[in-house]
Amino acid sequence: MRVQCPCCGEQFPLEAGFLDDEGKRLAAQFADIEPRLGRAILGYLRLFSPAKRGLRTTRAIKLVEELMTAINAGTVTRDARTAEAKPASPAMWTAGIDQMLAQRERLSLPLDNHHYLRAVVFGIANDPALAAKVHQSDPKKVRSRMTAQQLHQEQIGRINSDVLLGILSKEDGEGRIAALLGAEA
């Protein structure tokens, strides 16, 4: 299967992006991330890409690890020097990334670290009205309204993607799908 790069328009085999171990490792990082947050992170990684060359996969892996550590902490500080922390949901981080992507022309690129994003998310978390607005559009709330059949279809799609990416063997994927369908009955 050939896919087209959304950035440059070049076509390439889908498997080519995941042939090396680092590509697989990067793809595996996104497996458990909520899709909306995952798409935001992919756009955010572009902000770290040097102008004359692409972002190294090893650097992308490190950036995603650092970012997911911050997101999974459940809180955000304005910067490393302050101890004041605010609760910050993944939806707030997604909104912060979206805000940065919308104003990318005003940013000094490429970014070196996550400090500016942390300040943006802290601003969202510090404003009760803005935080409430972000939570109203939280994909987890939408997900809770999905039917059981829609959830199973989504899970089967993820399993099939993992098989395609080589994260799971074909047999493991078929076993997981069978177990999922068996639990459904």
Side-chain angles (χ1 to χ4, degrees), residues 33-183:
I33 298 175
E34 188 274 321
R36 185 169 173 219
L37 176 60
R39 283 189 298 276
I41 292 172
L42 286 172
Y44 178 67
L45 287 176
R46 290 188 189 102
L47 301 178
F48 289 87
S49 185
K52 303 230 182 215
R53 57 183 167 85
L55 183 64
R56 291 184 329 270
T57 308
T58 53
R59 175 85 168 122
I61 291 168
K62 182 179 180 208
L63 290 168
V64 173
E65 285 173 350
E66 292 170 351
L67 185 57
M68 290 312 299
T69 298
I71 292 170
N72 291 332
T75 60
V76 63
T77 57
R78 181 179 304 270
D79 62 43
R81 298 170 291 184
T82 63
E84 182 184 8
K86 299 282 182 185
S89 67
M92 288 181 182
W93 287 92
T94 302
I97 292 170
D98 289 343
Q99 184 177 331
M100 285 182 66
L101 293 174
Q103 55 180 280
R104 73 179 336 128
E105 295 82 27
R106 291 188 247 156
L107 299 175
S108 177
L109 300 177
L111 296 178
D112 292 326
N113 52 50
H114 304 293
H115 296 329
Y116 186 72
L117 174 60
R118 187 173 41 217
V120 170
V121 174
F122 185 86
I124 293 170
N126 202 33
D127 182 347
L130 191 53
K133 183 179 176 183
V134 166
H135 284 290
Q136 287 173 347
S137 65
D138 189 349
K140 286 186 179 177
K141 290 183 180 181
V142 173
R143 186 183 181 107
S144 68
R145 293 188 294 258
M146 293 175 79
T147 66
Q149 182 180 9
Q150 289 170 323
L151 284 171
H152 279 82
Q153 288 174 342
E154 181 180 308
Q155 290 169 332
I156 290 170
R158 283 185 181 222
I159 292 168
N160 287 333
S161 295
D162 288 350
V163 170
L164 181 65
L165 295 173
I167 297 169
L168 291 175
S169 70
K170 185 176 179 180
E171 295 78 25
D172 287 340
E174 289 171 351
R176 288 186 183 191
I177 291 172
L180 184 64
L181 295 176

Side-chain angles (χ1 to χ4, degrees), residues 5-28:
C5 174
C7 299
C8 68
E10 190 65 35
Q11 289 193 359
F12 63 95
L14 179 63
E15 300 83 12
F18 307 107
L19 286 178
D20 65 324
D21 289 336
E22 290 173 347
K24 287 179 186 177
R25 186 169 165 214
L26 182 61

